[in-house]
Amino acid sequence: MVYIKSCKHSYKTEKTCISSSDLVLEPIKEAIKGMNPLDIDAIICATTTRDYVYPSTACMLGGKLKAKNAFCFDIESDFTGFISALRLAHAFVESKRYKNILAVSSESFYISDDTDRFDDASVVALVTSEKSNIQIDFLDSDTNGEAFENCYIPMGGSAKPYTKEGIINKEHFIYIKDNKIFEEESKNAALYVKETLSKNNIEADFYIPSYFNKESYDNFVNNLSVDKDKVYSKMQNAHSSLSASVGVAFSMALEDGSIKSNSKVALCGYGSGYTKAIAVVSVN
């Protein structure tokens, strides 16, 4: 069995000038309190806002934590980053070669201007072979790369390197074709969640979705076709935090008591037409 021993987060609605690794450092320290950093086997960091192009943000975290025995790497899977990090951590622990993996997601939004607002946020889960009250039961994901022009950063990669003109035109900021794409994607995500759970004979007691805005949240809930009190709503007016969004909501729900004992919880990540993912955990 694979468990989540601790899940901690940080969330900021004001724009900051803080690196992604610094943003998640305190939540990590909380999650591993009392643990020797040398017992961390790996750090997997999901982010679209890395500290540097090179080295990886996970590498920066390993250095700051003095986790000298950990292998560290970044991943990028857009709005489903936290669940993707969980999925990799789950596989590593399930292999029985590793015992303690940090699944991290951190987003510091220097990549957005004031018109397309995102919130700085980070979350970390300590995924372990040690028995805990949170067990990972199921993970699945889906991707549609054809929709990339709905939401992307036009400049800064090998397809279009940085130019002075591009920066003047704000092409180094995240571009959103139309906020309505998130409403459409929330509908697709709800249908994906229903179909995936049904296909695998899983009945969830509680749902925690990604957040972009109230309209997309409402659309997700309406198309999920479950009682509204079964869906976490305390972030329904929040802006998106991309890969960290669903993880932050999960951490908040654990802390505020929204998740009852002996519940099967579905974490639902989605956004912008790229990715959809689900993680089902039992909270005892």
Side-chain angles (χ1 to χ4, degrees):
M1 296 293 184
V2 180
Y3 303 91
I4 295 175
K5 189 173 182 180
S6 182
C7 186
K8 300 293 181 182
H9 75 279
S10 67
Y11 184 76
K12 299 182 179 184
T13 56
E14 73 279 1
K15 286 198 172 182
T16 60
C17 294
I18 184 170
S19 69
S20 290
S21 65
D22 282 339
L23 185 65
V24 77
L25 197 56
E26 287 308 311
I28 288 178
K29 288 178 179 178
E30 284 186 59
I32 64 170
K33 190 177 292 183
M35 180 180 177
N36 187 336
L38 296 178
D39 290 333
I40 299 170
D41 294 311
I43 301 172
I44 304 167
C45 183
T47 183
T48 58
T49 56
R50 297 184 297 276
D51 286 15
Y52 302 98
V53 173
Y54 167 84
S56 69
T57 300
C59 178
M60 302 299 296
L61 286 168
K64 291 175 181 180
L65 294 168
K66 301 189 185 308
K68 295 182 180 180
N69 294 328
F71 64 95
C72 309
F73 62 95
D74 288 355
I75 62 170
E76 184 179 329
S77 64
D78 313 309
F79 290 80
T80 57
F82 178 67
I83 295 177
S84 295
L86 276 183
R87 192 172 191 177
L88 284 168
H90 178 274
F92 282 132
V93 174
E94 199 172 46
S95 74
K96 296 184 170 48
R97 183 175 176 183
Y98 307 101
K99 294 182 179 179
N100 300 301
I101 312 285
L102 292 180
V104 176
S105 179
S106 188
E107 303 287 11
S108 180
F109 280 102
Y110 63 85
I111 59 170
S112 64
D113 62 14
D114 290 331
T115 58
D116 292 320
R117 181 62 189 271
F118 289 74
D119 290 333
D120 292 349
S122 65
V123 62
V124 57
L126 175 56
V127 180
T128 176
S129 59
E130 184 180 333
K131 191 169 184 179
S132 178
N133 67 318
I134 305 173
Q135 179 181 306
I136 300 176
D137 296 330
F138 177 83
L139 295 135
D140 188 72
S141 59
D142 181 68
T143 302
N144 174 16
E146 295 178 356
F148 87 94
E149 289 185 347
N150 284 341
C151 181
Y152 74 120
I153 300 174
M155 185 181 67
S158 59
K160 187 173 184 180
Y162 287 111
T163 63
K164 182 178 179 181
E165 182 183 8
I167 290 174
I168 291 172
N169 293 330
K170 297 186 176 182
E171 293 178 53
H172 60 306
F173 286 142
I174 196 164
Y175 165 78
I176 299 174
K177 187 175 183 180
D178 187 334
N179 282 346
K180 290 188 182 300
I181 64 171
F182 293 99
E183 294 178 45
E184 180 62 26
E185 185 58 21
S186 61
K187 174 185 175 181
N188 293 337
L191 298 177
Y192 158 77
V193 168
K194 284 200 298 185
E195 180 182 345
T196 301
L197 292 179
S198 175
K199 189 188 303 181
N200 290 279
N201 299 312
I202 299 171
E203 188 171 339
D205 302 302
F206 199 61
Y207 299 83
I208 299 180
S210 291
Y211 290 81
F212 180 75
N213 56 27
K214 188 176 187 306
E215 290 73 23
S216 62
Y217 168 81
D218 288 342
N219 214 27
F220 178 84
V221 176
N222 291 337
N223 284 281
L224 194 60
S225 306
V226 300
D227 293 340
K228 290 187 177 181
D229 60 2
K230 286 188 171 185
V231 188
Y232 190 62
S233 63
K234 294 186 180 179
M235 287 181 69
Q236 65 179 321
N237 294 314
H239 296 286
S240 176
S241 299
L242 267 176
S243 68
S245 180
V246 68
V248 168
F250 178 48
S251 176
M252 289 176 66
L254 287 169
E255 290 181 6
D256 64 27
S258 295
I259 300 174
K260 306 306 179 188
S261 295
N262 301 314
S263 294
K264 201 169 281 291
V265 181
L267 311 183
C268 313
Y270 61 89
S272 76
Y274 293 128
T275 53
K276 298 183 284 292
I278 183 170
V280 179
V281 298
S282 292
V283 180
N284 301 312

